[in-house]
Amino acid sequence: MFTGKTILITGGGSGIGAALAQLLSTSNRVIICGRKEDNLKKVASASNNISYYVAEMAVIGEVDNLFNRIAGDKIKLDVIFNNAGV
């Protein structure tokens, strides 16, 4: 699968996205995003390799802000899983 990559998972606060984040965080850096910060915090607390950003993928301005924040934090993404239920 993936090893040593930086992976963004949209809709990572629950369900398939959360499970995927936990699975992939064993050998990768995982960034999750979603609408509900409480859910994102819970998923991120499962591994030191998971971090999160709050963003609503159905709002183009929030998508732009998300990628601007990622770029501002000097993060280079290798993989994006678009898992948000939009």
Side-chain angles (χ1 to χ4, degrees):
M1 201 181 308
F2 299 107
T3 302
K5 303 293 184 188
T6 299
I7 302 169
L8 172 66
I9 302 173
T10 67
S14 63
I16 293 170
L20 188 59
Q22 291 172 357
L23 174 70
L24 292 173
S25 70
T26 60
S27 58
N28 299 280
R29 177 183 185 187
V30 176
I31 302 164
I32 57 174
C33 67
R35 295 177 294 139
K36 299 178 180 175
E37 187 169 15
D38 289 344
N39 291 357
L40 297 169
K41 279 183 184 178
K42 183 177 178 182
V43 174
S45 71
S47 170
N48 289 333
N49 291 333
I50 302 174
S51 58
Y52 72 89
Y53 293 94
V54 177
E56 167 58 77
M57 295 293 99
V59 178
I60 193 68
E62 290 196 32
V63 174
D64 289 341
N65 287 337
L66 169 67
F67 283 97
N68 287 334
R69 287 183 286 170
I70 289 171
D73 289 341
K74 308 266 191 270
I75 298 170
K76 178 191 167 283
L77 297 175
D78 297 301
V79 179
I80 300 173
F81 283 99
N82 185 17
N83 181 66
V86 177

Tab-separated table of all heavy atoms in Angstrom, residues 20-82:
chain	number	residue	atom	x	y	z
A	20	LEU	N	-9.974	4.653	7.486
A	20	LEU	CA	-8.865	4.759	6.555
A	20	LEU	C	-7.706	5.540	7.176
A	20	LEU	O	-6.539	5.158	7.043
A	20	LEU	CB	-9.345	5.430	5.266
A	20	LEU	CG	-8.387	5.471	4.097
A	20	LEU	CD1	-7.976	4.071	3.668
A	20	LEU	CD2	-9.034	6.206	2.926
A	21	ALA	N	-8.014	6.620	7.872
A	21	ALA	CA	-6.974	7.412	8.544
A	21	ALA	C	-6.219	6.569	9.556
A	21	ALA	O	-4.980	6.602	9.604
A	21	ALA	CB	-7.601	8.631	9.228
A	22	GLN	N	-6.937	5.805	10.348
A	22	GLN	CA	-6.282	4.973	11.354
A	22	GLN	C	-5.416	3.900	10.700
A	22	GLN	O	-4.294	3.656	11.135
A	22	GLN	CB	-7.320	4.369	12.287
A	22	GLN	CG	-7.961	5.417	13.170
A	22	GLN	CD	-9.139	4.898	13.970
A	22	GLN	OE1	-9.537	3.749	13.848
A	22	GLN	NE2	-9.707	5.762	14.791
A	23	LEU	N	-5.915	3.289	9.657
A	23	LEU	CA	-5.164	2.250	8.952
A	23	LEU	C	-3.882	2.822	8.337
A	23	LEU	O	-2.795	2.275	8.510
A	23	LEU	CB	-6.036	1.620	7.856
A	23	LEU	CG	-5.352	0.616	6.950
A	23	LEU	CD1	-5.035	-0.656	7.719
A	23	LEU	CD2	-6.228	0.312	5.750
A	24	LEU	N	-4.020	3.938	7.635
A	24	LEU	CA	-2.882	4.500	6.919
A	24	LEU	C	-1.875	5.189	7.832
A	24	LEU	O	-0.709	5.350	7.476
A	24	LEU	CB	-3.370	5.476	5.848
A	24	LEU	CG	-4.129	4.839	4.686
A	24	LEU	CD1	-4.707	5.908	3.774
A	24	LEU	CD2	-3.226	3.892	3.906
A	25	SER	N	-2.293	5.593	9.032
A	25	SER	CA	-1.394	6.313	9.937
A	25	SER	C	-0.302	5.423	10.528
A	25	SER	O	0.648	5.938	11.109
A	25	SER	CB	-2.175	6.989	11.057
A	25	SER	OG	-2.696	6.034	11.959
A	26	THR	N	-0.412	4.128	10.353
A	26	THR	CA	0.627	3.247	10.892
A	26	THR	C	1.951	3.409	10.154
A	26	THR	O	3.008	3.147	10.724
A	26	THR	CB	0.195	1.766	10.858
A	26	THR	OG1	-0.068	1.388	9.506
A	26	THR	CG2	-1.036	1.537	11.718
A	27	SER	N	1.898	3.870	8.890
A	27	SER	CA	3.140	4.017	8.128
A	27	SER	C	3.183	5.285	7.268
A	27	SER	O	4.001	5.390	6.358
A	27	SER	CB	3.364	2.789	7.250
A	27	SER	OG	2.268	2.601	6.378
A	28	ASN	N	2.299	6.236	7.569
A	28	ASN	CA	2.225	7.475	6.803
A	28	ASN	C	1.830	8.628	7.713
A	28	ASN	O	1.313	8.422	8.803
A	28	ASN	CB	1.155	7.371	5.709
A	28	ASN	CG	1.429	6.275	4.725
A	28	ASN	OD1	2.224	6.434	3.813
A	28	ASN	ND2	0.778	5.131	4.915
A	29	ARG	N	2.040	9.839	7.213
A	29	ARG	CA	1.508	11.035	7.864
A	29	ARG	C	0.127	11.266	7.256
A	29	ARG	O	-0.014	11.351	6.035
A	29	ARG	CB	2.399	12.234	7.581
A	29	ARG	CG	1.875	13.523	8.152
A	29	ARG	CD	2.767	14.679	7.777
A	29	ARG	NE	2.301	15.891	8.430
A	29	ARG	CZ	2.792	17.080	8.182
A	29	ARG	NH1	3.787	17.223	7.324
A	29	ARG	NH2	2.305	18.135	8.801
A	30	VAL	N	-0.898	11.358	8.105
A	30	VAL	CA	-2.273	11.500	7.623
A	30	VAL	C	-2.861	12.811	8.133
A	30	VAL	O	-2.739	13.142	9.312
A	30	VAL	CB	-3.148	10.312	8.082
A	30	VAL	CG1	-4.595	10.507	7.659
A	30	VAL	CG2	-2.603	9.001	7.530
A	31	ILE	N	-3.485	13.530	7.229
A	31	ILE	CA	-4.210	14.749	7.575
A	31	ILE	C	-5.669	14.493	7.228
A	31	ILE	O	-5.978	14.067	6.111
A	31	ILE	CB	-3.692	15.957	6.780
A	31	ILE	CG1	-2.206	16.157	7.049
A	31	ILE	CG2	-4.497	17.206	7.118
A	31	ILE	CD1	-1.529	17.060	6.052
A	32	ILE	N	-6.537	14.710	8.192
A	32	ILE	CA	-7.964	14.546	7.936
A	32	ILE	C	-8.628	15.906	7.980
A	32	ILE	O	-8.136	16.831	8.633
A	32	ILE	CB	-8.625	13.579	8.945
A	32	ILE	CG1	-8.420	14.042	10.394
A	32	ILE	CG2	-8.107	12.159	8.738
A	32	ILE	CD1	-9.160	13.207	11.427
A	33	CYS	N	-9.734	16.034	7.288
A	33	CYS	CA	-10.523	17.258	7.370
A	33	CYS	C	-11.994	16.885	7.355
A	33	CYS	O	-12.372	15.798	6.899
A	33	CYS	CB	-10.173	18.239	6.254
A	33	CYS	SG	-10.624	17.687	4.605
A	34	GLY	N	-12.784	17.782	7.876
A	34	GLY	CA	-14.221	17.580	7.941
A	34	GLY	C	-14.873	18.757	8.638
A	34	GLY	O	-14.208	19.727	8.995
A	35	ARG	N	-16.173	18.654	8.840
A	35	ARG	CA	-16.953	19.751	9.420
A	35	ARG	C	-16.936	19.774	10.936
A	35	ARG	O	-17.060	20.827	11.546
A	35	ARG	CB	-18.415	19.655	8.970
A	35	ARG	CG	-18.635	19.840	7.509
A	35	ARG	CD	-20.095	19.649	7.134
A	35	ARG	NE	-20.476	18.247	7.365
A	35	ARG	CZ	-21.627	17.848	7.887
A	35	ARG	NH1	-22.536	18.733	8.239
A	35	ARG	NH2	-21.885	16.579	8.043
A	36	LYS	N	-16.846	18.629	11.568
A	36	LYS	CA	-17.057	18.528	13.014
A	36	LYS	C	-15.738	18.331	13.752
A	36	LYS	O	-15.166	17.247	13.768
A	36	LYS	CB	-18.012	17.380	13.314
A	36	LYS	CG	-19.386	17.599	12.672
A	36	LYS	CD	-20.317	16.448	12.934
A	36	LYS	CE	-21.666	16.706	12.267
A	36	LYS	NZ	-22.557	15.568	12.397
A	37	GLU	N	-15.286	19.417	14.385
A	37	GLU	CA	-13.979	19.385	15.043
A	37	GLU	C	-13.902	18.320	16.134
A	37	GLU	O	-12.859	17.673	16.288
A	37	GLU	CB	-13.626	20.753	15.620
A	37	GLU	CG	-12.219	20.791	16.161
A	37	GLU	CD	-11.730	22.174	16.503
A	37	GLU	OE1	-12.556	23.111	16.604
A	37	GLU	OE2	-10.514	22.327	16.669
A	38	ASP	N	-14.961	18.101	16.873
A	38	ASP	CA	-14.932	17.078	17.931
A	38	ASP	C	-14.621	15.703	17.345
A	38	ASP	O	-13.824	14.949	17.912
A	38	ASP	CB	-16.253	17.030	18.693
A	38	ASP	CG	-16.463	18.247	19.589
A	38	ASP	OD1	-15.480	18.967	19.861
A	38	ASP	OD2	-17.606	18.481	20.005
A	39	ASN	N	-15.244	15.371	16.223
A	39	ASN	CA	-14.984	14.079	15.570
A	39	ASN	C	-13.546	13.998	15.076
A	39	ASN	O	-12.878	12.970	15.223
A	39	ASN	CB	-15.931	13.862	14.396
A	39	ASN	CG	-17.363	13.638	14.820
A	39	ASN	OD1	-17.682	13.594	16.008
A	39	ASN	ND2	-18.243	13.526	13.846
A	40	LEU	N	-13.067	15.086	14.474
A	40	LEU	CA	-11.701	15.109	13.955
A	40	LEU	C	-10.689	14.942	15.078
A	40	LEU	O	-9.723	14.174	14.949
A	40	LEU	CB	-11.452	16.416	13.202
A	40	LEU	CG	-12.304	16.643	11.954
A	40	LEU	CD1	-12.155	18.076	11.467
A	40	LEU	CD2	-11.951	15.657	10.853
A	41	LYS	N	-10.907	15.625	16.201
A	41	LYS	CA	-10.008	15.508	17.361
A	41	LYS	C	-9.950	14.067	17.858
A	41	LYS	O	-8.878	13.568	18.196
A	41	LYS	CB	-10.483	16.405	18.499
A	41	LYS	CG	-10.095	17.835	18.380
A	41	LYS	CD	-10.562	18.610	19.621
A	41	LYS	CE	-10.263	20.068	19.483
A	41	LYS	NZ	-10.736	20.841	20.641
A	42	LYS	N	-11.105	13.438	17.915
A	42	LYS	CA	-11.160	12.062	18.409
A	42	LYS	C	-10.356	11.130	17.513
A	42	LYS	O	-9.578	10.307	17.991
A	42	LYS	CB	-12.613	11.601	18.493
A	42	LYS	CG	-12.784	10.222	19.053
A	42	LYS	CD	-14.249	9.847	19.189
A	42	LYS	CE	-14.383	8.435	19.710
A	42	LYS	NZ	-15.775	8.015	19.811
A	43	VAL	N	-10.531	11.258	16.214
A	43	VAL	CA	-9.788	10.411	15.271
A	43	VAL	C	-8.295	10.717	15.372
A	43	VAL	O	-7.464	9.804	15.436
A	43	VAL	CB	-10.298	10.598	13.826
A	43	VAL	CG1	-9.430	9.838	12.834
A	43	VAL	CG2	-11.754	10.164	13.711
A	44	ALA	N	-7.939	12.001	15.399
A	44	ALA	CA	-6.530	12.396	15.445
A	44	ALA	C	-5.846	11.938	16.733
A	44	ALA	O	-4.644	11.663	16.729
A	44	ALA	CB	-6.398	13.904	15.277
A	45	SER	N	-6.599	11.835	17.815
A	45	SER	CA	-6.000	11.425	19.089
A	45	SER	C	-5.580	9.953	19.089
A	45	SER	O	-4.826	9.528	19.955
A	45	SER	CB	-6.971	11.686	20.244
A	45	SER	OG	-8.064	10.789	20.196
A	46	ALA	N	-6.012	9.194	18.101
A	46	ALA	CA	-5.673	7.776	18.029
A	46	ALA	C	-4.231	7.533	17.579
A	46	ALA	O	-3.705	6.441	17.765
A	46	ALA	CB	-6.628	7.054	17.083
A	47	SER	N	-3.588	8.550	16.981
A	47	SER	CA	-2.240	8.357	16.461
A	47	SER	C	-1.504	9.689	16.397
A	47	SER	O	-2.090	10.708	16.036
A	47	SER	CB	-2.292	7.752	15.052
A	47	SER	OG	-1.021	7.767	14.447
A	48	ASN	N	-0.219	9.658	16.703
A	48	ASN	CA	0.611	10.857	16.553
A	48	ASN	C	0.801	11.218	15.090
A	48	ASN	O	1.261	12.319	14.787
A	48	ASN	CB	1.979	10.651	17.211
A	48	ASN	CG	1.884	10.624	18.711
A	48	ASN	OD1	0.988	11.219	19.306
A	48	ASN	ND2	2.807	9.918	19.338
A	49	ASN	N	0.486	10.325	14.188
A	49	ASN	CA	0.660	10.558	12.759
A	49	ASN	C	-0.574	11.150	12.094
A	49	ASN	O	-0.604	11.290	10.873
A	49	ASN	CB	1.036	9.259	12.045
A	49	ASN	CG	2.421	8.786	12.409
A	49	ASN	OD1	3.279	9.575	12.771
A	49	ASN	ND2	2.636	7.486	12.328
A	50	ILE	N	-1.609	11.471	12.870
A	50	ILE	CA	-2.832	12.054	12.307
A	50	ILE	C	-2.994	13.475	12.831
A	50	ILE	O	-2.947	13.714	14.041
A	50	ILE	CB	-4.088	11.245	12.681
A	50	ILE	CG1	-3.977	9.793	12.197
A	50	ILE	CG2	-5.341	11.901	12.073
A	50	ILE	CD1	-5.127	8.891	12.649
A	51	SER	N	-3.196	14.410	11.909
A	51	SER	CA	-3.534	15.781	12.273
A	51	SER	C	-4.799	16.160	11.508
A	51	SER	O	-5.267	15.403	10.659
A	51	SER	CB	-2.386	16.739	11.958
A	51	SER	OG	-2.047	16.691	10.588
A	52	TYR	N	-5.353	17.321	11.824
A	52	TYR	CA	-6.628	17.669	11.188
A	52	TYR	C	-6.770	19.154	10.940
A	52	TYR	O	-6.107	19.975	11.565
A	52	TYR	CB	-7.807	17.173	12.020
A	52	TYR	CG	-8.026	17.940	13.297
A	52	TYR	CD1	-8.834	19.074	13.327
A	52	TYR	CD2	-7.417	17.545	14.479
A	52	TYR	CE1	-9.029	19.791	14.506
A	52	TYR	CE2	-7.605	18.246	15.659
A	52	TYR	CZ	-8.408	19.366	15.657
A	52	TYR	OH	-8.589	20.073	16.815
A	53	TYR	N	-7.657	19.464	10.003
A	53	TYR	CA	-8.130	20.817	9.716
A	53	TYR	C	-9.647	20.749	9.630
A	53	TYR	O	-10.193	19.781	9.081
A	53	TYR	CB	-7.615	21.330	8.371
A	53	TYR	CG	-6.124	21.558	8.291
A	53	TYR	CD1	-5.272	20.575	7.817
A	53	TYR	CD2	-5.580	22.779	8.659
A	53	TYR	CE1	-3.913	20.789	7.717
A	53	TYR	CE2	-4.210	23.003	8.562
A	53	TYR	CZ	-3.388	22.010	8.088
A	53	TYR	OH	-2.045	22.233	7.999
A	54	VAL	N	-10.316	21.757	10.141
A	54	VAL	CA	-11.774	21.846	10.013
A	54	VAL	C	-12.077	22.557	8.706
A	54	VAL	O	-11.567	23.649	8.450
A	54	VAL	CB	-12.393	22.611	11.205
A	54	VAL	CG1	-13.901	22.750	11.019
A	54	VAL	CG2	-12.058	21.914	12.515
A	55	ALA	N	-12.885	21.913	7.863
A	55	ALA	CA	-13.267	22.515	6.577
A	55	ALA	C	-14.504	21.804	6.036
A	55	ALA	O	-14.612	20.585	6.114
A	55	ALA	CB	-12.130	22.404	5.568
A	56	GLU	N	-15.411	22.572	5.486
A	56	GLU	CA	-16.627	22.059	4.855
A	56	GLU	C	-16.368	21.967	3.352
A	56	GLU	O	-16.210	22.989	2.682
A	56	GLU	CB	-17.801	22.988	5.154
A	56	GLU	CG	-19.042	22.757	4.321
A	56	GLU	CD	-19.604	21.360	4.442
A	56	GLU	OE1	-20.243	21.060	5.455
A	56	GLU	OE2	-19.398	20.565	3.493
A	57	MET	N	-16.300	20.759	2.833
A	57	MET	CA	-15.943	20.543	1.430
A	57	MET	C	-17.015	21.022	0.456
A	57	MET	O	-16.741	21.181	-0.733
A	57	MET	CB	-15.643	19.058	1.172
A	57	MET	CG	-14.431	18.528	1.909
A	57	MET	SD	-12.868	19.238	1.348
A	57	MET	CE	-12.580	20.482	2.578
A	58	ALA	N	-18.211	21.284	0.938
A	58	ALA	CA	-19.277	21.769	0.060
A	58	ALA	C	-19.221	23.283	-0.136
A	58	ALA	O	-19.994	23.835	-0.912
A	58	ALA	CB	-20.651	21.376	0.621
A	59	VAL	N	-18.283	23.952	0.546
A	59	VAL	CA	-18.152	25.405	0.457
A	59	VAL	C	-16.799	25.714	-0.173
A	59	VAL	O	-15.748	25.490	0.443
A	59	VAL	CB	-18.270	26.070	1.849
A	59	VAL	CG1	-18.074	27.568	1.761
A	59	VAL	CG2	-19.619	25.716	2.488
A	60	ILE	N	-16.803	26.210	-1.407
A	60	ILE	CA	-15.562	26.407	-2.160
A	60	ILE	C	-14.564	27.295	-1.417
A	60	ILE	O	-13.360	27.040	-1.443
A	60	ILE	CB	-15.838	26.926	-3.592
A	60	ILE	CG1	-14.575	26.830	-4.456
A	60	ILE	CG2	-16.369	28.336	-3.571
A	60	ILE	CD1	-14.137	25.443	-4.764
A	61	GLY	N	-15.034	28.308	-0.720
A	61	GLY	CA	-14.132	29.167	0.045
A	61	GLY	C	-13.400	28.404	1.131
A	61	GLY	O	-12.224	28.676	1.411
A	62	GLU	N	-14.067	27.458	1.761
A	62	GLU	CA	-13.421	26.658	2.800
A	62	GLU	C	-12.414	25.682	2.200
A	62	GLU	O	-11.384	25.402	2.802
A	62	GLU	CB	-14.462	25.924	3.657
A	62	GLU	CG	-15.234	26.885	4.537
A	62	GLU	CD	-15.981	26.196	5.659
A	62	GLU	OE1	-15.511	25.152	6.162
A	62	GLU	OE2	-17.043	26.710	6.037
A	63	VAL	N	-12.706	25.180	1.010
A	63	VAL	CA	-11.754	24.314	0.317
A	63	VAL	C	-10.489	25.114	-0.015
A	63	VAL	O	-9.364	24.652	0.217
A	63	VAL	CB	-12.374	23.696	-0.956
A	63	VAL	CG1	-11.338	22.907	-1.740
A	63	VAL	CG2	-13.569	22.822	-0.604
A	64	ASP	N	-10.687	26.316	-0.551
A	64	ASP	CA	-9.544	27.191	-0.841
A	64	ASP	C	-8.739	27.465	0.424
A	64	ASP	O	-7.499	27.379	0.413
A	64	ASP	CB	-10.009	28.524	-1.434
A	64	ASP	CG	-10.542	28.397	-2.847
A	64	ASP	OD1	-10.240	27.385	-3.522
A	64	ASP	OD2	-11.274	29.316	-3.279
A	65	ASN	N	-9.417	27.796	1.518
A	65	ASN	CA	-8.731	28.065	2.787
A	65	ASN	C	-7.965	26.851	3.278
A	65	ASN	O	-6.857	26.967	3.802
A	65	ASN	CB	-9.713	28.537	3.855
A	65	ASN	CG	-10.197	29.951	3.621
A	65	ASN	OD1	-9.541	30.735	2.945
A	65	ASN	ND2	-11.356	30.271	4.164
A	66	LEU	N	-8.559	25.668	3.125
A	66	LEU	CA	-7.898	24.438	3.547
A	66	LEU	C	-6.564	24.282	2.837
A	66	LEU	O	-5.524	24.070	3.469
A	66	LEU	CB	-8.793	23.228	3.264
A	66	LEU	CG	-8.125	21.855	3.408
A	66	LEU	CD1	-7.761	21.585	4.866
A	66	LEU	CD2	-9.028	20.766	2.854
A	67	PHE	N	-6.579	24.402	1.516
A	67	PHE	CA	-5.338	24.203	0.771
A	67	PHE	C	-4.348	25.344	0.996
A	67	PHE	O	-3.131	25.114	0.986
A	67	PHE	CB	-5.628	23.954	-0.708
A	67	PHE	CG	-6.118	22.553	-0.940
A	67	PHE	CD1	-7.473	22.288	-1.039
A	67	PHE	CD2	-5.230	21.498	-0.993
A	67	PHE	CE1	-7.927	20.983	-1.212
A	67	PHE	CE2	-5.671	20.186	-1.158
A	67	PHE	CZ	-7.024	19.933	-1.277
A	68	ASN	N	-4.832	26.533	1.255
A	68	ASN	CA	-3.934	27.637	1.613
A	68	ASN	C	-3.261	27.379	2.961
A	68	ASN	O	-2.074	27.653	3.140
A	68	ASN	CB	-4.678	28.971	1.629
A	68	ASN	CG	-5.005	29.467	0.242
A	68	ASN	OD1	-4.330	29.140	-0.732
A	68	ASN	ND2	-6.070	30.254	0.129
A	69	ARG	N	-4.009	26.848	3.923
A	69	ARG	CA	-3.429	26.525	5.235
A	69	ARG	C	-2.400	25.407	5.109
A	69	ARG	O	-1.330	25.450	5.731
A	69	ARG	CB	-4.509	26.144	6.244
A	69	ARG	CG	-5.311	27.353	6.711
A	69	ARG	CD	-6.331	26.970	7.756
A	69	ARG	NE	-7.415	26.260	7.063
A	69	ARG	CZ	-8.389	25.603	7.656
A	69	ARG	NH1	-8.450	25.526	8.969
A	69	ARG	NH2	-9.332	25.014	6.957
A	70	ILE	N	-2.728	24.386	4.317
A	70	ILE	CA	-1.788	23.276	4.108
A	70	ILE	C	-0.505	23.806	3.473
A	70	ILE	O	0.602	23.480	3.913
A	70	ILE	CB	-2.443	22.174	3.254
A	70	ILE	CG1	-3.510	21.450	4.087
A	70	ILE	CG2	-1.395	21.186	2.739
A	70	ILE	CD1	-4.383	20.492	3.291
A	71	ALA	N	-0.625	24.639	2.460
A	71	ALA	CA	0.552	25.227	1.800
A	71	ALA	C	1.312	26.124	2.769
A	71	ALA	O	2.548	26.097	2.813
A	71	ALA	CB	0.131	26.006	0.566
A	72	GLY	N	0.577	26.911	3.563
A	72	GLY	CA	1.204	27.791	4.546
A	72	GLY	C	1.972	27.036	5.614
A	72	GLY	O	2.963	27.528	6.151
A	73	ASP	N	1.527	25.827	5.910
A	73	ASP	CA	2.215	24.976	6.882
A	73	ASP	C	3.344	24.174	6.228
A	73	ASP	O	3.935	23.303	6.853
A	73	ASP	CB	1.220	24.030	7.562
A	73	ASP	CG	0.296	24.764	8.522
A	73	ASP	OD1	0.626	25.893	8.943
A	73	ASP	OD2	-0.781	24.206	8.844
A	74	LYS	N	3.600	24.467	4.943
A	74	LYS	CA	4.692	23.837	4.183
A	74	LYS	C	4.526	22.317	4.093
A	74	LYS	O	5.495	21.564	4.187
A	74	LYS	CB	6.047	24.178	4.790
A	74	LYS	CG	6.287	25.656	5.001
A	74	LYS	CD	7.016	26.260	3.841
A	74	LYS	CE	7.494	27.661	4.137
A	74	LYS	NZ	6.570	28.697	3.800
A	75	ILE	N	3.297	21.879	3.904
A	75	ILE	CA	3.005	20.456	3.785
A	75	ILE	C	2.873	20.115	2.305
A	75	ILE	O	2.128	20.752	1.571
A	75	ILE	CB	1.712	20.094	4.526
A	75	ILE	CG1	1.870	20.382	6.015
A	75	ILE	CG2	1.336	18.640	4.277
A	75	ILE	CD1	0.583	20.286	6.807
A	76	LYS	N	3.607	19.094	1.877
A	76	LYS	CA	3.515	18.599	0.509
A	76	LYS	C	2.677	17.321	0.533
A	76	LYS	O	3.047	16.339	1.174
A	76	LYS	CB	4.903	18.295	-0.050
A	76	LYS	CG	4.874	17.734	-1.462
A	76	LYS	CD	6.245	17.206	-1.856
A	76	LYS	CE	6.177	16.370	-3.088
A	76	LYS	NZ	5.649	15.025	-2.885
A	77	LEU	N	1.540	17.371	-0.127
A	77	LEU	CA	0.662	16.203	-0.175
A	77	LEU	C	1.099	15.242	-1.265
A	77	LEU	O	1.430	15.650	-2.376
A	77	LEU	CB	-0.783	16.634	-0.428
A	77	LEU	CG	-1.425	17.517	0.641
A	77	LEU	CD1	-2.806	17.967	0.181
A	77	LEU	CD2	-1.510	16.783	1.973
A	78	ASP	N	1.065	13.952	-0.939
A	78	ASP	CA	1.356	12.917	-1.925
A	78	ASP	C	0.082	12.275	-2.452
A	78	ASP	O	0.015	11.868	-3.614
A	78	ASP	CB	2.239	11.818	-1.304
A	78	ASP	CG	3.595	12.342	-0.876
A	78	ASP	OD1	4.331	12.857	-1.745
A	78	ASP	OD2	3.915	12.240	0.324
A	79	VAL	N	-0.930	12.184	-1.573
A	79	VAL	CA	-2.168	11.481	-1.920
A	79	VAL	C	-3.350	12.239	-1.320
A	79	VAL	O	-3.248	12.733	-0.191
A	79	VAL	CB	-2.157	10.038	-1.348
A	79	VAL	CG1	-3.452	9.309	-1.681
A	79	VAL	CG2	-0.957	9.258	-1.841
A	80	ILE	N	-4.438	12.322	-2.072
A	80	ILE	CA	-5.691	12.883	-1.548
A	80	ILE	C	-6.793	11.859	-1.766
A	80	ILE	O	-7.003	11.403	-2.890
A	80	ILE	CB	-6.074	14.199	-2.237
A	80	ILE	CG1	-5.004	15.260	-2.042
A	80	ILE	CG2	-7.422	14.702	-1.722
A	80	ILE	CD1	-5.248	16.533	-2.835
A	81	PHE	N	-7.468	11.490	-0.666
A	81	PHE	CA	-8.663	10.653	-0.755
A	81	PHE	C	-9.858	11.558	-0.560
A	81	PHE	O	-10.082	12.093	0.523
A	81	PHE	CB	-8.669	9.573	0.353
A	81	PHE	CG	-7.768	8.421	0.096
A	81	PHE	CD1	-6.526	8.359	0.689
A	81	PHE	CD2	-8.159	7.390	-0.756
A	81	PHE	CE1	-5.678	7.292	0.454
A	81	PHE	CE2	-7.318	6.317	-0.994
A	81	PHE	CZ	-6.075	6.276	-0.387
A	82	ASN	N	-10.642	11.755	-1.613
A	82	ASN	CA	-11.840	12.574	-1.518
A	82	ASN	C	-12.981	11.693	-1.031
A	82	ASN	O	-13.676	11.044	-1.797
A	82	ASN	CB	-12.163	13.210	-2.861
A	82	ASN	CG	-13.329	14.167	-2.750
A	82	ASN	OD1	-13.684	14.575	-1.664
A	82	ASN	ND2	-13.913	14.502	-3.869
